[in-house]
Amino acid sequence: MTSGIPENRQRFELLERIRRKVPVVETMTIIADQTTSWLQVTDPDKLLLTALERGEEGGFEVDPFWAAAWRAAVGMDRFLGQICGEVGETAWRQLSILELGGGSGRAGISAAMRGARVVITDASSTAMLVCRYNAWHMRDRVSVRRLDWRNRNQHLGLFPILVGSDIVYDPKLFPILEPCMRRHLHPHGAVYLSEPQRHTGERFQSWIQSAGWQLLEHYIDLEDGEKQIRIFECRLPK
């Protein structure tokens, strides 16, 4: 009965660290077709205004976009369910997956809840804390690491699958995202990037192909009256 006390204390202390940085609320959400606890920022718009007031100072570290609940992350969750069904549960459990720009961790946690081992990355220390809290029940299969795409010397290993939700919203990020993808992708692997059919997605489509990648598109209908979520499947030529 006492063995769980230290873990509970660690989780409580993690929550207190997060609350000193950003206002959050504990709620419930659906991931991998299961209802699970979820910590979300109560006022992501306030983070955005703060970042705008600071201008470029802090860079990725103060990027507030991770705090919002993006439709693209929900679409990636459902898409991962499709892939898991195609490869089979046994093969899925043998996979190691890297999430880029994971934010609060929805896509990576989705992959882990389905049985894969996952490394969720972000450049924001606050996002990483929230992600660790959200992944607490999956911590035997999830690790959270800091990854700054600009650091070309940083290498976390090779992964057969890379995922990212709504990380191609700014064309200025393409030239630093693409080398990061190359550094971490197994030669026969695939990168899956979700986005809600913005015009910047169209720009990424042509840009990534001009950088030498092969591209396929998949679409996920969230049945919410909005545009379908587009999934870019990116592979390097064999």
Side-chain angles (χ1 to χ4, degrees):
M1 296 293 291
T2 60
S3 60
I5 294 177
E7 290 184 359
N8 290 338
R9 184 177 296 123
Q10 290 174 18
R11 188 169 183 263
F12 174 78
E13 290 175 352
L14 176 58
L15 180 59
E16 290 303 299
R17 286 182 65 190
I18 294 169
R19 284 175 169 162
R20 288 194 291 269
K21 289 177 172 289
V22 64
V24 291
V25 61
E26 294 188 80
T27 183
M28 305 296 289
T29 191
I30 297 176
I31 303 178
D33 300 322
Q34 300 179 49
T35 300
T36 185
S37 60
W38 193 253
L39 192 69
Q40 68 180 38
V41 176
T42 56
D43 193 356
D45 290 340
K46 184 176 181 179
L47 290 186
L48 176 58
L49 290 174
T50 300
L52 291 174
E53 290 172 357
R54 294 177 180 176
E56 294 297 323
E57 184 179 355
F60 287 163
E61 181 63 24
V62 297
D63 186 343
F65 297 113
W66 65 267
W70 298 109
R71 294 176 66 249
V74 178
M76 180 60 76
D77 173 17
R78 297 187 185 181
F79 182 70
L80 290 174
Q82 293 182 8
I83 298 178
C84 181
E86 292 170 1
V87 303
E89 183 178 341
T90 300
W92 184 262
R93 287 182 174 276
Q94 297 174 355
L95 288 175
S96 294
I97 296 175
L98 178 69
E99 182 176 11
L100 301 174
S104 53
R106 180 179 289 269
I109 293 171
S110 167
M113 289 178 69
R114 291 182 165 94
R117 293 193 174 275
V118 183
V119 179
I120 304 177
T121 67
D122 207 282
S124 166
S125 59
T126 305
M128 290 169 60
L129 291 175
V130 174
C131 182
R132 285 194 178 100
Y133 190 86
N134 284 332
W136 189 264
H137 60 301
M138 289 281 105
R139 60 191 182 281
D140 60 327
R141 293 199 292 272
V142 173
S143 63
V144 182
R145 301 281 301 277
R146 187 177 194 279
L147 178 63
D148 188 331
W149 303 344
R150 298 168 296 188
N151 184 355
R152 301 202 176 198
N153 294 320
Q154 189 175 10
H155 188 261
L156 302 181
L158 295 177
F159 297 80
I161 294 179
L162 274 60
V163 299
S165 300
D166 224 338
I167 60 175
V168 295
Y169 60 88
D170 185 351
K172 293 194 297 294
L173 298 177
F174 299 170
I176 59 174
L177 171 60
E178 191 270 343
C180 184
M181 289 163 49
R182 284 183 182 266
R183 289 196 302 275
H184 292 95
L185 184 65
H186 186 279
H188 302 295
V191 182
Y192 298 103
L193 304 173
S194 65
E195 61 91 33
Q197 297 194 61
R198 294 193 185 95
H199 70 280
T200 49
E202 302 294 337
R203 295 179 64 178
F204 177 79
Q205 180 184 47
S206 58
W207 190 94
I208 199 69
Q209 288 177 304
S210 69
W213 292 73
Q214 299 172 341
L215 189 73
L216 291 176
E217 294 182 23
H218 310 271
Y219 291 87
I220 300 294
D221 189 353
L222 299 184
E223 301 178 347
D224 58 359
E226 302 291 336
K227 285 185 177 180
Q228 294 182 341
I229 299 300
R230 175 167 48 191
I231 311 287
F232 292 124
E233 177 182 336
C234 309
R235 295 179 183 268
L236 290 169
K238 297 179 180 179

